[in-house]
Amino acid sequence: MQTLTAPEVTAAPAPQLDDSQRVRCEIWTRVMGYHRPVASFNTGKQGEFNERRFFVERRA
């Protein structure tokens, strides 16, 4: 019988970006059956979006 071991995995270095190379990420969410960018929300709705909690349901 042969014992198998996990291969050595080396993590790739994280890319380093200058500030001039960065791009603002636009976040969209589903509201009342359609998708809208969060940036277009009013202040109260943006605060509500930021308070949301996400969860992962465990298997039964």
Side-chain angles (χ1 to χ4, degrees):
M1 181 187 244
Q2 185 178 23
T3 303
L4 297 177
T5 59
E8 292 292 323
V9 178
T10 56
Q16 298 296 319
L17 297 176
D18 293 331
D19 287 339
S20 63
Q21 295 174 310
R22 295 180 181 271
V23 179
R24 189 166 204 64
C25 179
E26 188 174 59
I27 301 171
W28 287 58
T29 187
R30 185 171 174 267
V31 180
M32 299 294 291
Y34 59 96
H35 292 86
R36 289 187 54 191
V38 175
S40 70
F41 290 172
N42 63 30
T43 305
K45 193 66 160 177
Q46 284 183 4
E48 180 183 312
F49 176 80
N50 290 329
E51 291 176 357
R52 290 183 184 172
R53 299 285 181 242
F54 295 95
F55 69 96
V56 176
E57 188 173 357
R58 294 187 313 192
R59 288 184 144 185

